[in-house]
């Protein structure tokens, strides 16, 4: 009964419009007060502070800053031009370009919202000018942005690695194949839609000198993913230090190489990055005492017993977890779900023998699908604002793409080798 009261109180506060962090902190304070008394509230402050002191979390502000610098410094449209050169000639070519550009940009920003808000502007404008409907362009931009936090680097993987004490480098490697599968699934849907709706054919390949100039102009931007991942795998820097390198590289590229980023714009970019970081860290800080309360009240143990009481078959337990996360993703912001659900779900998946790195990919992919699931998908709101297409129109168009992403989720869930073979092959991190 007490467990139900805690969860109901949290849901009620969220539904009443309280910020996620405020709801988490309020429930934690109320539970501590009722369960033990006001003397326990000193632990609230300790947990609040401890929740933000993990070294890997330092990567978050720098990856956010790197994404904002890329969107302002001339990198996004050059990435789009290269993607168009690679695959833009087929029917519905710009739809495929949209997905491929998101896959390329994913290796730089680590954020779905950065992809939707930055690269999305370029993608939607180009597609509308080529004769695609604004509705199709906006919908595809929203769903393709979900690839961003799966292909490394990834802010959600940094948070999960910090919570689970799992190698962030191993998580980055584990996300590469699932990210490629997401892109392939979305391209398959685009191919079907292109035939049914007779979407425009792409333009012919430009002459070699023009193509060479496009590739040459984009090479410095495309060098960032190999720089980040290669530096981590080569032992040159940690994932946290890689975030600093990404931000510094994006700043130098935008100001000195492309010269599309002026120093006068940097303070505004820094301020916006600080604002976004504060939002994320506020949730992480407030979730720490909430997670402590869950453990103190033995809620994970109760949930474990209940789940295993239904079935001890790993595939059934994983199915239940996936369905629960997909439903939660329809109403709650992804990072909040990650932090709330983690202390409950990790003991369950550990008990059934699921590798924590594999589970990290599963949970983050679930949360990315939630970003584009009505009614509260954050990327839907971002793209709606950028494209001037209503949420209702995007929501009506998005279901085939959601089904493709859910199919990829199913494959990744039940074929763990797709996530684990690359970390195992490279001998990176502790992967069971």
């Amino acid at each position: 009964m007490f467990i139900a009261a805690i969860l109901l109180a949290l849901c009620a506060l969220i539904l009443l419009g309280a910020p996620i962090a405020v709801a988490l902190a309020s429930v934690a304070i109320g539970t501590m007060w009722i369960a033990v008394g006001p003397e326990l509230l000193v632990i609230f402050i300790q947990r609040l502070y401890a929740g933000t002191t993990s070294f890997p979390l330092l990567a978050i502000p720098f990856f956010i800053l790197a994404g904002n610098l890329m969107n302002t410094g001339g990198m996004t449209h050059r990435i789009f031009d290269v993607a168009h050169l690679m695959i833009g000639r087929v029917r519905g070519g710009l739809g495929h370009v949209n997905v491929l550009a998101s896959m390329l940009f994913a290796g730089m920003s680590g954020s779905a919202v950065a992809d939707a808000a930055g690269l999305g502007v370029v993608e939607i404008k180009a597609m509308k000018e080529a004769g695609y409907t604004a509705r199709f362009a906006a919908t595809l931009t929203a769903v393709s942005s979900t690839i961003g936090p799966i292909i490394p680097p990834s802010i959600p993987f940094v948070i999960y690695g910090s919570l689970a004490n799992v190698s962030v480098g191993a998580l980055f490697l584990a996300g590469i194949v699932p990210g490629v599968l997401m892109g392939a699934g979305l391209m398959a849907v685009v191919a079907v839609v292109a035939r049914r709706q007779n979407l425009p054919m792409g333009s012919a390949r430009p002459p070699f000198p023009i193509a060479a100039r496009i590739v040459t102009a984009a090479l410095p931007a495309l060098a960032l993913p190999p720089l980040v991942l290669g530096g981590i795998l080569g032992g040159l820097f940690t994932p946290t230090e890689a975030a600093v390198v990404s931000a510094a590289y994006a700043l130098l590229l935008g100001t000195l190489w492309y010269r599309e980023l002026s120093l006068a714009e940097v303070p505004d970019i820094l301020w916006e990055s600080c604002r976004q970081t504060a939002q994320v860290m506020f949730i992480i800080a407030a979730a720490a005492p909430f997670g402590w309360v869950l453990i103190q009240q033995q809620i994970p143990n109760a949930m474990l017993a209940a789940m295993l009481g239904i079935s001890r078959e790993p595939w059934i337990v994983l199915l239940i977890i996936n369905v629960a996360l997909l439903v939660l993703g329809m109403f709650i912001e992804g990072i909040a779900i990650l932090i709330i659900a983690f202390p409950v779900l990790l003991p369950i998946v550990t008990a059934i023998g699921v590798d924590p790195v594999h589970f990290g990919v599963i949970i983050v992919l679930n949360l990315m699908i939630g970003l584009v699931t009505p009614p509260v998908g954050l990327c839907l709101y971002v793209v709606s604002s950028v494209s001037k297409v209503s949420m209702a129109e995007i929501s009506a168009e998005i279901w085939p793409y959601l089904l493709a992403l859910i199919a990829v989720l199913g494959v990744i869930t039940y074929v763990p080798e797709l996530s684990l073979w690359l970390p195992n092959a490279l001998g990176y991190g502790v992967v069971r």
Side-chain angles (χ1 to χ4, degrees), residues 18-52:
I20 298 293
V22 173
L24 289 169
S26 299
V27 172
I29 290 172
T31 305
M32 289 177 175
W33 190 296
I34 294 169
V36 180
E39 63 273 13
L40 196 63
L41 293 183
V42 66
I43 294 178
F44 175 82
I45 304 300
Q46 294 172 350
R47 292 292 92 197
L48 201 69
Y49 172 76
T52 60

Side-chain angles (χ1 to χ4, degrees), residues 161-353:
S162 174
L163 293 172
N165 196 26
V166 170
S167 165
V168 175
L171 288 166
F172 281 4
L173 288 171
I176 293 175
V177 173
V180 172
L181 290 177
M182 290 172 69
L186 294 178
M187 285 184 177
V189 176
V190 170
V192 172
V193 172
R195 287 196 299 269
R196 289 184 176 179
Q197 298 184 7
N198 196 30
L199 294 178
M201 293 288 292
S203 56
R205 186 190 297 272
F208 178 78
I210 296 177
R213 283 199 297 271
I214 291 172
V215 174
T216 302
L219 279 178
L222 295 174
L224 182 55
L227 173 66
V228 171
L229 201 54
I232 294 172
L233 297 179
L236 297 178
F237 37 72
T238 66
T240 301
E241 293 163 346
V244 179
V245 171
S246 297
Y249 185 82
L251 176 63
L252 293 174
L253 208 60
T255 54
L256 301 180
W257 186 264
Y258 293 136
R259 298 185 179 181
E260 294 187 19
L261 175 63
S262 69
L263 292 179
E265 295 175 291
V266 172
D268 289 337
I269 295 172
L270 289 172
W271 174 254
E272 177 61 20
S273 300
C274 289
R275 187 188 65 80
Q276 294 172 0
T277 300
Q279 289 177 332
V280 174
M281 297 305 292
F282 188 22
I283 295 174
I284 293 173
F290 181 81
W292 184 89
V293 164
L294 294 182
I295 295 171
Q296 195 267 342
Q297 294 297 315
Q298 299 187 357
I299 291 177
N301 293 337
M303 295 294 291
L304 174 61
M307 189 79 74
L308 296 181
I310 297 173
S311 174
R312 302 188 73 90
E313 289 291 332
W315 75 271
I316 295 178
V317 174
L318 287 172
L319 177 62
I320 295 171
I321 289 173
N322 277 335
V323 171
L325 289 174
L326 289 173
V327 172
L328 285 173
M330 297 172 65
F331 304 100
I332 305 176
E333 195 271 334
I335 291 177
I337 297 174
L338 175 60
I339 297 172
I340 295 169
F342 168 80
V344 175
L345 295 181
L346 189 63
I348 295 173
V349 297
T350 302
I352 62 174

Side-chain angles (χ1 to χ4, degrees), residues 94 100 120 149 159 182 350 376 401 413:
L94 281 185
L100 181 59
I159 296 172
M182 290 172 69
T350 302
V376 190
Y401 305 98
T413 298

Side-chain angles (χ1 to χ4, degrees), residues 410-429:
V411 172
I412 294 302
T413 298
Y414 295 115
V415 188
E417 291 78 12
L418 292 172
S419 301
L420 298 179
W421 78 268
L422 191 54
N424 282 327
L426 295 178
Y428 191 83

